[in-house]
Amino acid sequence: MFFIRPIERRDLNALFDMAEESGIGVTSLPANHDKMELKISRAVNSFTDNIAQKDALYLFVLEDAETGALAGVSAIEAEIGNQDVWYNYRVGNSVHASQELGVHKQTKTLFLSNDMTGATEVCTLFLREKYRQGVNGRFLSKQRYLFLAEFQERFNERVIAEMRGYSDEVGHSPFWEGLGRKFFQMEFKEADYLTGLGNKWFIAELMPKYPIYVPFLSQEAQDVIGKVHENTEPALALLQQEGFRFNSYIDIFDAGPSVECRLPDIRAVKESVVVDWVADENSVAIDDPRGDVWMISNRQFVNYRVILIAGANIKDGHIVLNAAEIAALSLEPNSQVRAVSMRPAIPTIRSSK
Amino acid sequence: MYIVRPANIMDLPGIERLHTSYEVRVTTLPSDRDKLSELLHTSTQSFQGDIENTQDATLIFVLEHIETGEIAGVSGIDAYAGSGYPFFNYRIEELVHASHHLGIHTATSILYLSHELTGSTVLRSFAIRPDLRGTPYFALLSRARFMYMAQNPDDFSDRTVTEIQGLLDDKGDSPFWNSIGRNFFDIDFATADYYVGVKSKTFIAELMPQHPIYVTLLSEEAQQAMNKAHPATEATCQLLFKEGFERSRYVDIFDGGPVLTSTSKNIHTIASSKLKEITTSKLVGGLKYLISNNQNGDFRCGIGKLVDGIGDHIRLDDSVATQLQVSNGDLIRYSPL
């Protein structure tokens, strides 16, 4: 059985291993020991309310209950852009028109913005290679919505996710080559690494501040605006399933899209329910990960836990849990859990007649 | 023998004929007959001082062969660039993108759409019969404008500018236009140029991108062409440099050609010109000078020999006096050729 819990200081080495495995593109997981330690420290303080709510970083790990090994990590930033300066390009439009000349030309234009400042970000999704099976990836991603649903007051109504932009097999980003690179000689890999170390702000300061008319960029760069890296496509699909949509903002380095959803509109937030639970050793095991699987959280903050159970354990008004599941959730008697199906409810189609 | 005088509507066919002999495009000289006729009308009013709005003053001069009446060249001045509308240029500036934290320091050039030169006096519409290029009449046609400005300093701005034709490729296309303007118009340089002629430069300029442009994002060819003069303008540039004009941080928004500027009163011809009363005489020797009469509507400027001395009077050859329509006791202005 796998379960979700807040990160702890003892997870440092495991997280560092993951960072090394993640490589380029997962900028929020830099393979740098000191930075990693700071990050974990910040997350631990966030779950113990030792830092301001707006500065909180909630890092979750997916743990294999049998071996204690960590399978992956995911996170929520309470509010982005408060400590540093958060930059995006907004993909906008400029119209140059003259009735007399018969000219009416729309030109895609990139406007540098700090519009996302203060938004909540779901970020840092990484699942180790050998655990990339079944429902693990989806679980790691979607469990965060139970946390958002439970502690809405800690977050901004605007929830965003930034998607890794397109880069080729050798890690070249055509957008970077077409824009950032022209302003200072730096490989994308290096910019990416520096970003992970928390230097994005500094690099952003070196980027052009005035709007960029897209036709000035190389065709290769134009083609990847708003395009995700192929490894990120599944993550994007999951976000879209939950109601996230492209919000016209892109990353200033690799042009990866930003997607957004109002917190109360996120599918898993909206559909989640708070219910009683009963102990029953005959609870049904998950036999098909693609079947009807539910996420169950213990609704606790410091000791937040989430597990998966089979849909068959959802009864009228309560949920059936066995002893191992109760232990994994460290549930107190007479407490309630929050539950939501992993997958959106299948819409009932009715005839219009 | 050639003289420079104000153009009038009768010169229209002569000016039109010049079009066919251009080596260089002269955007500021319309090829459209109605436009040209309108321009000549405005010019005549401007010379006579009965233009309603002095900002609209435009003076067109022609180089006329006295014996045949042939029009061999044309030149002009706009008293106030933009005539009340914005006069557009790109101003080239350097920006430094630096980070102390990362130890990075990069200089980058940027083009700002600028109205800064609005209201400057602009030299315009220069065209001369190609075979006269290497002769003193080339300087006469160009510098006669400064002689006119010298006698009417209050009618012109403190700053005089001129836009030099930019570099074109072998096909007559402008790499600068192709990299900037074309993205916003979907029309080629020749067509844009045509519109500039029949509409106005301001009209087209208002459709250009309003945000600053990073030079590093332009095509290599456009970057190379920026602030470079067309080879055919070499003689013009040399003359203007001698007059004290300098390169500036401004370039044309269409073809990226350089804009030369000077403080009006420091233009060599203006600063060096002198005014004296004449005594007509026969066969005056001496050095060659640009000589103009002290008229506006009947302005004449030609080349003649003078011996400049310390007295208040200067002797002027009878035949030159006739050409300049001056007689004994009239004032002339002169400047070394």
Side-chain angles (χ1 to χ4, degrees):
Chain A
M1 180 174 51
F2 287 87
F3 68 94
I4 296 284
R5 62 165 172 81
I7 200 159
E8 293 170 24
R9 292 192 195 276
R10 62 182 165 97
D11 297 326
L12 178 63
N13 288 332
L15 195 64
F16 190 77
D17 289 345
M18 277 191 246
E20 287 200 318
E21 192 182 320
S22 73
I24 304 163
V26 185
T27 47
S28 42
L29 263 191
N32 176 297
H33 230 271
D34 293 350
K35 294 281 172 181
M36 195 69 89
E37 205 164 355
L38 277 174
K39 196 158 198 155
I40 292 181
S41 197
R42 197 177 139 215
V44 169
N45 285 331
S46 302
F47 279 106
T48 49
D49 268 338
N50 280 325
I51 55 173
Q53 256 181 40
K54 67 181 176 60
D55 297 329
L57 166 71
Y58 303 99
L59 262 175
F60 308 92
V61 293
L62 180 65
E63 181 176 329
D64 183 340
E66 277 79 51
T67 64
L70 297 193
V73 60
S74 66
I76 308 173
E77 284 269 6
E79 286 192 19
I80 54 178
N82 285 326
Q83 298 296 314
D84 51 6
V85 183
W86 195 271
Y87 287 102
N88 285 104
Y89 280 124
R90 180 171 60 79
V91 184
N93 205 359
S94 304
V95 175
H96 293 87
S98 161
Q99 286 197 339
E100 268 186 277
L101 300 185
V103 170
H104 190 282
K105 178 98 187 199
Q106 301 190 28
T107 305
K108 220 190 244 184
T109 312
L110 307 179
F111 297 92
L112 194 64
S113 90
N114 309 124
D115 291 358
M116 303 279 221
T117 306
T120 291
E121 186 195 21
V122 290
C123 53
T124 319
L125 182 69
F126 185 74
L127 182 64
R128 301 198 74 166
E129 189 87 47
K130 64 174 174 174
Y131 295 101
R132 286 182 196 165
Q133 56 195 339
V135 81
N136 288 340
R138 274 178 284 161
F139 183 29
L140 200 47
S141 171
K142 294 193 176 189
Q143 60 82 20
R144 293 177 291 193
Y145 308 128
L146 283 180
F147 195 79
L148 289 177
E150 201 63 63
F151 306 107
Q152 296 203 20
E153 71 286 353
R154 290 177 176 270
F155 300 101
N156 194 285
E157 188 187 73
R158 194 174 183 194
V159 183
I160 63 126
E162 293 206 317
M163 306 275 82
R164 181 180 172 188
Y166 176 87
S167 58
D168 67 14
E169 319 77 50
V170 290
H172 275 168
S173 155
F175 188 78
W176 175 260
E177 293 299 318
L179 187 59
R181 182 65 180 259
K182 306 246 180 178
F183 290 90
F184 52 107
Q185 291 298 313
M186 191 184 278
E187 293 292 336
F188 178 62
K189 284 180 210 180
E190 197 187 340
D192 195 51
Y193 177 72
L194 287 169
T195 298
L197 294 184
N199 287 319
K200 181 153 184 166
W201 178 17
F202 299 110
I203 305 175
E205 302 277 287
L206 296 170
M207 294 285 284
K209 300 289 182 296
Y210 292 112
I212 302 292
Y213 295 106
V214 171
F216 289 160
L217 304 181
S218 67
Q219 195 56 49
E220 296 76 25
Q222 294 185 34
D223 289 346
V224 300
I225 290 173
K227 202 172 158 192
V228 295
H229 191 274
E230 79 182 354
N231 293 348
T232 306
E233 278 168 13
L236 178 60
L238 289 181
L239 286 157
Q240 287 170 334
Q241 221 175 55
E242 294 296 328
F244 285 81
R245 295 292 176 262
F246 179 48
N247 60 3
S248 295
Y249 291 88
I250 59 167
D251 183 76
I252 59 171
F253 295 160
D254 67 11
S258 169
V259 292
E260 177 172 342
C261 190
R262 281 181 68 245
L263 194 154
D265 293 340
I266 297 171
R267 192 281 311 177
V269 171
K270 219 165 38 183
E271 288 182 7
S272 74
V273 286
V274 175
V275 286
D276 295 326
W277 56 274
V278 294
D280 184 343
E281 280 317 299
N282 295 319
S283 75
V284 182
I286 297 170
D287 56 350
D288 177 8
R290 281 160 305 176
D292 187 16
V293 175
W294 284 62
M295 295 187 287
I296 310 296
S297 89
N298 64 358
R299 307 191 65 205
Q300 297 174 31
F301 181 65
V302 181
N303 202 22
Y304 178 72
R305 294 284 186 282
V306 193
I307 61 161
L308 295 176
I309 63 166
N313 296 313
I314 315 293
K315 309 283 186 194
D316 250 355
H318 67 272
I319 287 172
V320 176
L321 299 171
N322 65 27
E325 289 162 344
I326 294 166
L329 287 172
S330 55
L331 288 174
E332 301 291 330
N334 301 321
S335 58
Q336 287 184 309
V337 295
R338 182 177 290 270
V340 71
S341 166
M342 275 284 261
R343 286 209 294 201
I346 297 158
T348 321
I349 300 167
R350 289 209 188 104
S351 162
S352 57
K353 269 186 272 182
Chain B
M1 189 65 190
Y2 291 90
I3 57 133
V4 169
R5 61 161 174 82
N8 61 58
I9 197 70
M10 308 294 284
D11 299 322
L12 194 136
I15 294 172
E16 279 186 333
R17 261 195 299 281
L18 275 173
H19 269 288
T20 54
S21 59
Y22 292 164
E23 289 170 62
V24 189
R25 124 197 121 97
V26 185
T27 306
T28 50
L29 188 58
S31 49
D32 178 82
R33 176 166 283 195
D34 289 346
K35 267 294 209 192
L36 184 56
S37 136
E38 198 180 299
L39 175 67
L40 294 177
H41 181 67
T42 307
S43 171
T44 301
Q45 284 183 321
S46 305
F47 275 109
Q48 288 166 354
D50 59 3
I51 188 129
E52 206 169 295
N53 187 345
T54 51
Q55 285 191 319
D56 295 337
T58 289
L59 303 142
I60 303 295
F61 302 85
V62 288
L63 180 69
E64 182 185 32
H65 189 263
I66 295 181
E67 286 76 28
T68 64
E70 186 214 350
I71 302 300
V74 60
S75 67
I77 316 172
D78 280 339
Y80 296 98
S83 305
Y85 293 97
F87 181 71
F88 285 87
N89 295 102
Y90 279 131
R91 192 179 72 246
I92 306 171
E93 286 204 1
E94 290 285 306
L95 283 184
V96 175
H97 287 193
S99 166
H100 295 291
H101 185 85
L102 300 175
I104 289 174
H105 175 107
T106 315
T108 190
S109 297
I110 192 161
L111 301 175
Y112 288 99
L113 203 55
S114 166
H115 300 162
E116 175 76 19
L117 299 181
T118 303
S120 304
T121 293
V122 191
L123 305 179
R124 58 173 290 176
S125 307
F126 188 88
I128 191 166
R129 223 176 59 202
D131 61 294
L132 291 180
R133 283 202 159 258
T135 70
Y137 301 118
F138 181 82
L140 169 63
L141 178 59
S142 183
R143 291 176 57 194
R145 296 179 287 192
F146 304 138
M147 297 292 273
Y148 186 87
M149 285 170 68
Q151 82 192 30
N152 299 286
D154 295 340
D155 292 351
F156 300 95
S157 162
D158 292 343
R159 172 161 58 189
T160 301
V161 308
T162 186
E163 298 174 300
I164 303 295
Q165 156 89 55
L167 266 189
L168 301 180
D169 64 18
D170 303 338
K171 288 171 289 191
D173 236 352
S174 159
F176 193 78
W177 171 262
N178 282 346
S179 193
I180 298 184
R182 182 146 201 167
N183 289 314
F184 300 91
F185 289 87
D186 268 348
I187 53 180
D188 62 21
F189 182 67
T191 313
D193 201 39
Y194 167 78
Y195 281 132
V196 169
V198 295
K199 301 284 182 189
S200 74
K201 189 156 180 172
T202 303
F203 179 84
I204 310 297
E206 282 169 350
L207 293 174
M208 290 291 280
Q210 298 295 307
H211 298 299
I213 289 174
Y214 292 99
V215 173
T216 182
L217 297 180
L218 302 181
S219 71
E220 202 54 49
E221 298 76 27
Q223 293 187 39
Q224 294 296 328
M226 189 176 84
N227 212 357
K228 297 259 167 59
H230 193 286
T233 65
E234 178 65 25
T236 299
C237 290
Q238 286 313 316
L239 184 144
L240 292 171
F241 288 145
K242 264 186 226 158
E243 286 288 329
F245 281 80
E246 289 178 335
R247 284 178 165 274
S248 67
R249 289 186 292 128
Y250 299 93
V251 296
D252 184 72
I253 59 170
F254 294 111
D255 65 13
V259 175
L260 307 185
T261 67
S262 177
T263 304
S264 301
K265 66 173 166 34
N266 293 343
I267 293 171
H268 176 71
T269 301
I270 295 176
S272 69
S273 77
K274 289 182 193 166
L275 204 57
K276 272 185 187 176
E277 232 172 70
I278 55 156
T279 310
T280 55
S281 171
K282 281 193 186 349
L283 295 172
V284 178
L287 298 169
K288 280 187 172 175
Y289 283 84
L290 280 188
I291 310 167
S292 65
N293 66 12
N294 201 27
Q295 305 289 314
N296 287 346
D298 290 321
F299 176 78
R300 294 291 183 277
C301 185
I303 296 171
K305 284 182 177 170
L306 295 173
V307 181
D308 194 14
I310 49 167
D312 293 338
H313 289 71
I314 194 162
R315 292 195 303 152
L316 181 68
D317 192 286
D318 277 337
S319 64
V320 180
T322 308
Q323 286 159 14
L324 298 178
Q325 300 176 356
V326 288
S327 48
N328 244 341
D330 284 345
L331 287 171
I332 58 157
R333 182 176 296 277
Y334 59 97
S335 169
L337 185 69

